[in-house]
Amino acid sequence: MPKDTKNCRILEPEFECMSREELEALQGKRLHETVVHAYNNVPMYKERMDALGVTPDDINSIEDITKLPFTDKPDLRDHFPDGLFAVPRSEIVRVQGSSGTTGKPIVSGYTQNDIDVWTDMVARALAAAGCTEEDTVQVTYGYGLFTGGLGIHQGASKLGAMVVPMSSGNTQRQIMMLKELGATMICCTPSYATLIGETVREMGIDPSELKLKSGCFGAEPWTAEMRNNLEGLMDFNALDIYGLTEIGGPGVSFECMEKCGLHVNEDHVIAEIINPETGEHMPDGVTGELVFTTITKTGQPMIRYRTHDLCTITREKCACGRTTARMGRITGRSDDMIIVRGVNVFPSQIESVIVGIEGVAPHYMLIVDRQNSADTLEVQVELKEELFSDTVSHVEELRNRMTEQIKSVVGVTAKVTIVPPKTLPRFEGKARRVIDNRKL
Ligand code: DLL
């Protein structure tokens, strides 16, 4: 794999490579300003702080952040659509949203300042993936309320790249455009990128006929094994990009070519890792729930927003030169965790087993059910075409191997079902791989 990493750029070294002391001083100052703004303009924050006996004057450095109350998704639903706006509606220039899994969407209001900040964060991410004005970026995230399409579009435009605003779907057409317009970068969910990569191969196109050199993939959890598989399919650098509507969309953090964690744009957000049960801070390197506080967002500032995403954080300097904190891959969401016979199971654990096995396609579904009061977990996997017609004993051997590995990684015995090639669902946006029939 010719992984050309020389184009990795640090767009704003004055912020991305600050010393920790300078960065924390800047964060403390911006945190204070944000808390003053939120306290004075959003009744929910004032009520919550008053209830804890905290005033904006108590918040002067990042250590003070633990004095502040948490915010969570139900707060956004309860104040839907504009109850958390901190400026008059006339100053809001955009809302973005996410569908969520239940009921009302989550929306966030952006001022022009917020759009500019977000654009800068995405531009940093794309630059780290090698993007310059010479590049053509095919944006295959959905456009609309979802932040993926417009977010990447804005960041790529800021860098002067040529944008191909495809939105998601219509895989054959995506590939035709990739070929004809010679995109050098593609941005979409990792599951959709995998489908595009497989379709490229099926169409008999050698990836070297495309000009793709890298892509920024996110909006859903994916594993290191999934990256290896994708890079093998497409012969490019597959980088992770993370974000959420409430905090500003994609670009909250991003991978550089070192591929060892996602750099948090710490001059715009403060990241904490907490114990999801107790709310206490966790030390660096220990997995916990990510919590973000925006420190430059004016339209709808978020204070200690609980993402429910689980990962670690390190503050060691990266070999790329950036000094910003790095998140490990998201290993799951605390609310996506399935509990099977009392054992916590994250879909990413199962993905790492399946995608690591030769001959098994990187597509799967997890079906949880309850029979005679006992939970059951079925893992449906596809074999690649060339193995499907293989000897029964070989297929049986693969099934046993997967069952054993799942048992040893997750601690639960799953029923592994092998289904014919191309029969499991494919996803053009975020993949939904768990079906829980237990109606708990
Ligand atoms: O998914 C924003 C985004 C768009 C990020 C494009 C990256 C690329 P939401 O729809 O609000 O926003 O969903 C946010 O998606 O809390 C995570 O659970 C998950 N997520 C986002 N990026 C990643 C990632 C966008 N790189 C929720 N790895 C977040 C794992 C991710 N999970």
Side-chain angles (χ1 to χ4, degrees):
M1 275 175 259
K3 298 288 148 49
D4 176 6
T5 57
K6 67 180 180 295
N7 286 324
C8 183
R9 284 195 298 150
I10 302 181
L11 195 64
E12 295 186 281
E14 63 279 27
F15 293 108
E16 297 179 77
C17 305
M18 267 180 154
S19 73
R20 258 292 109 209
E21 297 73 46
E22 274 179 297
L23 178 62
E24 290 184 358
L26 178 69
Q27 288 184 313
K29 178 175 161 287
R30 290 183 169 175
L31 175 65
H32 174 75
E33 290 163 2
T34 297
V35 172
V36 170
H37 177 58
Y39 185 87
N40 291 337
N41 295 294
V42 183
M44 182 190 80
Y45 286 126
K46 181 173 185 322
E47 279 158 30
R48 298 231 171 130
M49 286 174 59
D50 286 349
L52 292 174
V54 183
T55 73
D57 288 342
D58 297 324
I59 311 298
N60 297 300
S61 72
I62 54 162
E63 283 78 39
D64 294 328
I65 201 164
T66 52
K67 297 177 187 163
L68 293 165
F70 289 115
T71 314
D72 208 338
K73 226 179 248 299
D75 297 321
L76 282 118
R77 297 219 170 91
D78 294 347
H79 295 88
F80 176 82
D82 56 4
L84 298 181
F85 286 5
V87 295
R89 261 176 96 119
S90 56
E91 287 179 35
I92 298 288
V93 298
R94 174 101 59 86
V95 289
Q96 297 277 172
S98 63
S99 52
T101 42
T102 51
K104 288 180 199 162
I106 297 289
V107 293
S108 187
Y110 295 63
T111 60
Q112 188 56 50
N113 162 76
D114 301 340
I115 297 283
D116 294 344
V117 162
W118 175 27
T119 302
D120 288 346
M121 295 203 281
V122 178
R124 287 181 189 174
L126 294 172
C131 185
T132 70
E133 71 273 11
E134 303 297 333
D135 282 283
T136 299
V137 181
Q138 186 150 323
V139 183
T140 301
Y141 287 113
Y143 280 66
L145 273 182
F146 176 56
T147 50
L150 284 163
I152 301 290
H153 186 120
Q154 292 161 186
S157 299
K158 167 114 192 188
L159 294 176
M162 182 170 111
V163 177
V164 186
M166 290 295 288
S167 202
S168 60
N170 203 339
T171 311
Q172 306 261 340
R173 193 150 158 265
Q174 297 279 357
I175 294 169
M176 188 269 285
M177 293 297 268
L178 278 176
K179 225 177 138 183
E180 297 300 326
L181 282 166
T184 49
M185 291 185 65
I186 181 166
C187 300
C188 57
T189 57
S191 48
Y192 195 42
T194 303
L195 177 60
I196 291 177
E198 288 173 344
T199 313
V200 162
R201 298 276 177 164
E202 279 165 23
M203 288 165 75
I205 300 170
D206 189 305
S208 62
E209 291 173 47
L210 305 176
K211 298 209 170 69
L212 286 174
K213 61 178 188 187
S214 65
C216 294
F217 306 107
E220 64 186 9
W222 54 311
T223 54
E225 289 77 9
M226 200 72 151
R227 178 198 336 250
N228 291 341
N229 178 69
L230 184 55
E231 291 189 335
L233 274 174
M234 295 292 269
D235 219 354
F236 62 9
N237 282 293
L239 301 178
D240 200 352
I241 183 166
Y242 168 90
L244 58 165
T245 314
E246 302 86 314
I247 302 299
V252 170
S253 67
F254 59 88
E255 267 187 331
C256 66
M257 291 289 191
E258 298 295 324
K259 301 181 187 166
C260 56
L262 295 96
H263 290 276
V264 179
N265 275 311
E266 282 192 286
D267 51 325
H268 295 300
V269 296
I270 297 176
E272 302 172 76
I273 295 282
I274 61 160
N275 176 329
E277 309 291 326
T278 63
E280 278 164 25
H281 266 190
M282 308 285 278
D284 285 1
V286 176
T287 301
E289 179 182 339
L290 250 182
V291 172
F292 281 114
T293 301
T294 61
I295 50 175
T296 49
K297 209 168 185 282
T298 49
Q300 189 170 315
M302 282 285 125
I303 293 181
R304 302 197 85 199
Y305 185 70
R306 295 188 60 159
T307 65
H308 297 274
D309 292 324
L310 302 173
C311 70
T312 56
I313 275 203
T314 172
R315 289 180 173 79
E316 280 169 23
K317 187 175 170 185
C318 179
C320 72
R322 288 179 184 81
T323 50
T324 41
R326 275 170 292 147
M327 300 162 32
R329 268 179 192 283
I330 304 286
T331 50
R333 291 178 51 80
S334 54
D335 48 10
D336 271 2
M337 183 179 79
I338 3 172
I339 305 182
V340 180
R341 298 193 285 276
V343 178
N344 298 347
V345 177
F346 290 97
S348 61
Q349 296 174 303
I350 296 188
E351 178 178 304
S352 70
V353 170
I354 292 168
V355 183
I357 292 184
E358 186 84 28
V360 178
H363 305 281
Y364 60 95
M365 288 295 294
L366 307 183
I367 294 140
V368 193
D369 217 324
R370 181 160 280 178
Q371 282 165 11
N372 306 326
S373 353
D375 295 333
T376 57
L377 172 64
E378 180 186 356
V379 180
Q380 297 185 340
V381 295
E382 277 178 15
L383 289 192
K384 292 187 177 155
E385 300 266 10
E386 60 272 22
L387 268 194
F388 193 63
S389 48
D390 213 348
T391 58
V392 175
S393 61
H394 185 207
V395 171
E396 203 46 40
E397 187 267 317
L398 269 181
R399 191 206 317 272
N400 291 341
R401 191 140 44 103
M402 279 188 271
T403 311
E404 269 165 38
Q405 288 191 17
I406 290 169
K407 169 87 181 155
S408 86
V409 171
V410 184
V412 161
T413 304
K415 177 182 172 216
V416 175
T417 307
I418 292 177
V419 301
K422 303 207 189 79
T423 52
L424 291 178
R426 302 293 195 260
F427 304 92
E428 295 171 348
K430 292 178 193 258
R432 302 227 176 270
R433 295 197 168 104
V434 181
I435 299 175
D436 194 336
N437 293 323
R438 291 175 296 182
K439 307 199 176 44
L440 296 178

